[in-house]
Amino acid sequence: MNAVTHSPDLAAIERDLGAGFVKARELAFVRGEGARLWDAEGHSYLDFASAHGATSLGHAHPAVLGALHEQAARLISCTPSFASDVRAAYLTELMPHLPGDAERLFLCNSGTESVEAALKIARLATGRTGIVACMRGFHGRTLGALQTTWERRYRDPFAGWGPEVRHVRYGPADDLREAVTEDTAALILEVVQGEGGVRLAPEAFLRAAELVCRERGAMLIVDEVQTGFGRTGRLFACEHAGIAPDLVCLAKGIAAGFPMGAVAIGPRVAELPPGSHGSTFGGSPLACAMARATLRTILDEGLVERAALLGNMFLDRLRGIVSARVREVRGLGLMVGVELRERAAPFLAALLERGVVALAAGPNVIRFLPPLVVSPADLDEVVDTLCEVLS
Ligand SMILES: Cc1ncc(COP(=O)(O)O)c(C=O)c1O
């Protein structure tokens, strides 16, 4: 057992001087390497949260560090008003791998910004205002993205700001046929809902989403902020169902933990009016250099196939746990949820006590998002630790 050492001094500083939107735990991480993190007292933890899926190559990956050092010394910032050699190189390298026959890429700095941009693009492309999103979906917290997020406690204090959004059930295709109309600018959904409890969309639902958007002239936005860049065992999760979204939102694992976001834009979107959207930091040379190193590493090291293989091993082993507390184990690739019949929080705390960092996904789901470089031995250790805390 790790015996979590609290760092009350550091936590107190953040409590007193930080904006206080998130209740930070009394534990400070100071270093990481591969799938491991170390706290201020030198104890090590298996990182099965990966900064909510962002540090997909683990910590201190040499390829990413090399790109960071080299580019930081050359040129950090260059706004989109000028071209950049690294940005052009990244766009060229990523484009053939994007789903949905994407033809262009808008670069920004986070997941919520990518959703915000996709919503604006959908409105410009269709001239319509209606948005359809899914129950239990999570798309971010800026004003537009926030209204597409399902969780009422995030949305309600800001009701009336941002677009009108209708939420439909995540699964029944008939609901989509009824909700998406000639007034709908976009339907936005996740292929696997992350924050909403690691829930997989039925393939028929995803196919119906594509079809109904085509029929009614609405844009299909697939939010791959959490599922993208190999997490689910395909480079992008929508490949599992073979659908071609009009807009794909990307972030988190795109640059191995460096803040970056993007929207892949498909052929149904015409030229956008100049100045209709933009970002000072979006697509900075530093972010692009790290994203390029990330993409190359994912492809060269076969991390997508590895996520599929190790994800299946992990799911099999988790499904072998005999415990009355477990309702269901589900997931895709290395995006895995263990739904309990009781609240997950005490078990997350017990895992942390034993040196495993995991996440909640709703009140009773333990979510595991290990880095794609995780080893089979790490997976076994986490299954054994989970067995222990559930017993
Ligand atoms: C599916 C999805 N979309 C959007 C977001 C928002 O991303 P960010 O926190 O980078 O703004 C998240 C964050 O968890 C997410 O999981």
Side-chain angles (χ1 to χ4, degrees):
M1 173 131 69
N2 209 355
V4 168
T5 43
H6 300 284
S7 297
D9 299 348
L10 298 175
I13 293 172
E14 295 201 17
R15 194 175 49 242
D16 295 345
L17 302 181
F21 291 126
V22 173
K23 204 161 161 279
R25 300 194 188 96
E26 291 203 343
L27 169 66
F29 290 121
V30 295
R31 189 168 72 82
E33 195 181 319
R36 290 214 167 253
L37 281 168
W38 280 266
D39 68 17
E41 273 71 32
H43 297 113
S44 95
Y45 299 77
L46 267 175
D47 182 6
F48 271 46
S50 301
H52 286 245
T55 51
S56 55
L57 301 186
H59 302 281
H61 192 289
V64 182
L65 282 188
L68 172 72
H69 289 152
E70 198 262 328
Q71 187 60 40
R74 225 153 57 84
L75 187 65
I76 291 176
S77 245
C78 170
T79 71
S81 324
F82 295 95
S84 140
D85 55 345
V86 215
R87 192 185 304 133
Y90 180 57
L91 293 173
T92 311
E93 281 184 40
L94 178 61
M95 207 55 73
H97 300 288
L98 288 173
D101 310 317
E103 292 175 338
R104 282 160 293 162
L105 202 64
F106 170 73
L107 297 174
C108 53
N109 313 286
S110 66
T112 198
E113 275 182 66
S114 73
V115 172
E116 213 68 39
L119 296 175
K120 283 180 71 176
I121 294 169
R123 169 144 187 191
L124 288 170
T126 61
R128 305 171 182 180
T129 54
I131 308 272
V132 178
C134 295
M135 293 177 186
R136 290 207 176 94
F138 184 90
H139 302 292
R141 296 165 194 265
T142 49
L143 287 172
L146 178 65
Q147 295 308 327
T148 62
T149 286
W150 165 245
E151 186 67 61
R152 297 208 76 108
R153 77 196 149 99
Y154 299 150
R155 261 192 298 138
D156 281 356
F158 305 98
W161 283 3
E164 281 280 318
V165 178
R166 171 158 178 203
H167 287 89
V168 295
R169 286 182 295 170
Y170 187 67
D174 285 346
D175 289 23
L176 291 178
R177 290 191 196 101
E178 197 259 315
V180 178
T181 69
E182 269 71 27
D183 297 324
T184 306
L187 163 64
I188 180 166
L189 50 81
E190 295 155 273
V191 174
V192 182
Q193 291 185 328
E195 304 299 309
V198 190
R199 286 166 211 281
L200 284 66
E203 238 178 74
F205 181 69
L206 297 173
R207 295 237 176 82
E210 184 187 45
L211 191 68
V212 80
C213 284
R214 293 276 187 284
E215 282 173 3
R216 313 268 154 89
M219 295 284 127
L220 174 59
I221 305 175
V222 173
D223 181 344
E224 295 249 15
V225 165
Q226 194 161 140
T227 51
F229 292 98
R231 168 70 46 202
T232 68
R234 302 294 286 261
L235 194 55
F236 299 101
C238 61
E239 293 170 17
H240 289 283
I243 56 165
D246 298 298
L247 298 156
V248 183
C249 298
L250 304 166
K252 291 201 193 285
I254 189 171
F258 193 79
M260 188 172 185
V263 185
I265 305 170
R268 291 209 306 152
V269 178
E271 200 60 37
L272 297 162
S276 51
H277 199 53
S279 164
T280 298
F281 292 125
S284 75
L286 190 57
C288 287
M290 293 181 72
R292 182 154 72 131
T294 303
L295 179 66
R296 285 181 174 182
T297 305
I298 290 172
L299 299 175
D300 294 351
E301 295 186 7
L303 295 181
V304 179
E305 299 73 19
R306 188 184 161 83
L309 197 77
L310 293 189
N312 282 336
M313 276 172 52
F314 193 36
L315 279 169
D316 281 350
R317 283 226 48 207
L318 287 169
R319 287 185 177 130
I321 294 177
V322 182
S323 168
R325 297 184 197 278
V326 177
R327 178 175 285 139
E328 192 184 20
V329 176
R330 52 180 180 256
L332 199 57
L334 287 171
M335 184 170 180
V336 171
V338 177
E339 182 171 337
L340 304 181
R341 294 198 162 82
E342 52 200 293
R343 290 185 68 77
F347 299 97
L348 288 165
L351 284 169
L352 198 60
E353 282 290 328
R354 288 161 178 79
V356 173
V357 187
L359 291 165
N364 55 355
V365 177
I366 297 175
R367 180 175 30 153
F368 295 112
L369 298 174
L372 310 186
V373 296
V374 72
S375 73
D378 294 336
L379 296 174
D380 284 347
E381 193 179 322
V382 168
V383 175
D384 292 345
T385 311
L386 184 65
C387 261
E388 199 182 310
V389 304
L390 288 173
S391 67

